[in-house]
Amino acid sequence: MSELQEVQITEDNVNMQDPLKAAELAAKLLAVQEQKHSIETPYGMVTVTIQGSPKPKRPAIVTFHDVGMDHKLCFRSLFENEDMYEIVKNFVVCHIDAPGQEEGAAVYPAGYQYPSLDQLAETIPSVLQYLNFPSIIGIGVGAGAYVLARYTLTHPNTVEGLVLVNIDPNAKGWMDWAAHKLTGLTSSISEMILSHLFSTEELSGNSDIVRQYKTAILNSPILGNNHLYWNSYNSRRDLNLERGGDVTLKCPVMLVVGDQAPHEDAVVECNSKLDPTQTSFLKMADSGGQPQITQPGKLAEAFKYFVQGMGYMASSCMTRLSRSRTASLSSEGNRSRSRTLSQSSESGAGQQGTFTEVTC
């Protein structure tokens, strides 16, 4: 592969007190340092986008997107947010697009055998080997969260941490399968994908964000490819996670879901199956089905706490959630809140607590 170029970024490059300037710089840095690679894997060509350059003794951040999206639609709002500036500065970011889901992808012919989610998980070793990334922190949404979790179960020594948004670790049951088939008779593929991404209330409210994604999905030139990824997601196997059992995620995990989101129950169930000493649970109010898009600043700040709990960015400035916590404490007599914060900032590396955010 071509050598990744190191770009030096110092605190003097940006006024951290000016969020607009920080956001503009973060976006420019991502654009300037962006490199694309097409990587051969056992299950087809995979397109990856690298932002930043590898940092010594630090894992790469690897993302995997949900159905109906590519990495830009899924993660651009998060990684271009001003609160992600320090993440951009301190880690190399690798966005993986599932085969045929990247911008400009060729449409697969009829009858094409698309990889299962388990097989998509097995494309990741080829990517990491090509890029020479020994370890990662994974960020996945929906189907991408499942793919990263499956990869972690089979390659646990290469994963230092996971952020799983809207994960459903269970295979579809017979009732779910029948409902899916019935919905397919009355709804288009685009409508089914939109119902997966957004709640009924969001779709009926038709906000600017929802309209943007409706337009992108309804007018997708690779809708047939999106359908194949959608079918693989709905044919997923059960991860068979078991708290205290042999099949579990052994690295620190942050589970994220929006309040009243389509996948809220599934994420809550996943939380009950994981080691509570290694798992943080973030339920975000007013974020809908895609918290990384609707509340990127809050998720970015939570992610800083998460990586700090892993021993990285110990001197990171915690701004947004710190302000939210101060405000909540001052008004605690008027409303009930549930929050047990990660003790990372006090205890240093390796200690991961529960982070339950009921209202943000």
Side-chain angles (χ1 to χ4, degrees):
M1 60 166 287
S2 59
E3 183 179 356
L4 298 178
Q5 299 299 313
E6 177 72 33
V7 178
Q8 295 295 330
I9 308 166
T10 67
E11 295 291 349
D12 294 335
N13 293 133
V14 63
N15 179 359
M16 292 302 291
Q17 301 303 317
D18 190 331
L20 180 59
K21 288 185 178 180
E24 289 175 350
L25 179 62
K28 288 178 181 177
L29 288 171
L30 291 176
V32 168
Q33 300 181 75
E34 184 174 286
Q35 298 184 41
K36 289 186 179 294
H37 302 272
S38 295
I39 300 174
E40 184 70 44
T41 78
Y43 301 101
M45 295 294 293
V46 169
T47 299
V48 302
T49 302
I50 305 299
Q51 295 174 325
S53 56
K55 304 299 186 291
K57 299 180 180 180
R58 291 199 173 185
I61 295 175
V62 173
T63 74
F64 213 109
H65 60 90
D66 204 353
V67 297
M69 299 181 171
D70 59 13
H71 80 272
K72 289 183 179 179
L73 280 175
C74 195
F75 293 108
R76 180 169 52 198
S77 296
L78 177 62
F79 280 90
E80 291 186 0
N81 186 271
E82 68 265 21
D83 289 315
M84 283 296 282
Y85 167 73
E86 286 186 281
I87 302 296
V88 173
K89 186 182 67 174
N90 283 282
F91 294 90
V92 63
V93 180
C94 172
H95 299 291
I96 300 178
D97 283 312
Q101 311 302 306
E102 72 276 9
E103 185 178 8
V107 177
Y108 290 127
Y112 181 82
Q113 185 64 45
Y114 196 77
S116 67
L117 293 195
D118 288 8
Q119 291 171 331
L120 289 179
E122 288 306 310
T123 65
I124 297 177
S126 298
V127 171
L128 301 188
Q129 181 179 14
Y130 180 89
L131 297 170
N132 196 28
F133 291 162
S135 64
I136 69 170
I137 297 172
I139 305 179
V141 179
Y146 179 101
V147 169
L148 285 172
R150 174 63 74 186
Y151 169 78
T152 303
L153 290 174
T154 53
H155 304 273
N157 293 332
T158 65
V159 182
E160 295 193 28
L162 285 176
V163 177
L164 305 176
V165 183
N166 296 338
I167 186 172
D168 188 342
N170 302 317
K172 280 188 173 293
W174 283 106
M175 292 297 291
D176 295 323
W177 180 85
H180 174 70
K181 289 294 184 183
L182 183 61
T183 302
L185 297 175
T186 58
S187 302
S188 67
I189 295 302
S190 298
E191 290 171 329
M192 288 190 289
I193 291 175
L194 285 166
S195 295
H196 163 80
L197 297 175
F198 300 102
S199 67
T200 303
E201 292 77 10
E202 287 178 286
L203 292 174
S204 61
N206 205 30
S207 66
D208 290 343
I209 289 177
V210 171
R211 281 199 302 272
Q212 175 189 346
Y213 282 81
K214 276 184 179 179
T215 299
I217 292 170
L218 290 171
N219 298 320
S220 172
I222 53 170
L223 188 57
N225 294 5
N226 300 152
H227 190 185
L228 294 174
Y229 189 20
W230 172 246
N231 285 342
S232 290
Y233 175 68
N234 286 294
S235 301
R236 65 188 179 277
R237 295 192 302 139
D238 199 308
L239 288 178
N240 292 315
L241 298 173
E242 182 182 0
R243 178 174 291 183
D246 293 332
V247 181
T248 190
L249 300 173
K250 298 179 181 179
C251 65
V253 178
M254 182 166 74
L255 300 175
V256 182
V257 70
D259 194 21
Q260 304 300 316
H263 309 286
E264 182 179 356
D265 291 343
V267 178
V268 170
E269 181 179 351
C270 184
N271 184 53
S272 71
K273 296 180 177 181
L274 297 178
D275 181 354
T277 66
Q278 288 282 79
T279 306
S280 307
F281 181 52
L282 177 62
K283 184 188 288 187
M284 298 179 64
D286 304 320
S287 63
Q290 299 294 311
Q292 82 282 3
I293 295 171
T294 58
Q295 300 282 359
K298 292 176 182 177
L299 183 55
E301 197 71 16
F303 184 59
K304 289 182 192 177
Y305 275 108
F306 180 70
V307 297
Q308 193 178 49
M310 297 168 58
Y312 300 109
M313 298 174 61
S315 61
S316 175
C317 178
M318 302 302 165
T319 55
R320 185 181 298 265
L321 284 180
S322 297
R323 291 195 300 268
S324 295
R325 189 183 188 196
T326 301
S328 71
L329 290 174
S330 66
S331 60
E332 204 157 50
N334 298 324
R335 62 175 178 171
S336 174
R337 287 174 63 93
S338 173
R339 176 187 290 200
T340 307
L341 290 171
S342 167
Q343 300 177 359
S344 56
S345 58
E346 291 84 9
S347 58
Q351 295 189 20
Q352 192 72 20
T354 301
F355 185 117
T356 305
E357 175 74 23
V358 177
T359 54
C360 288

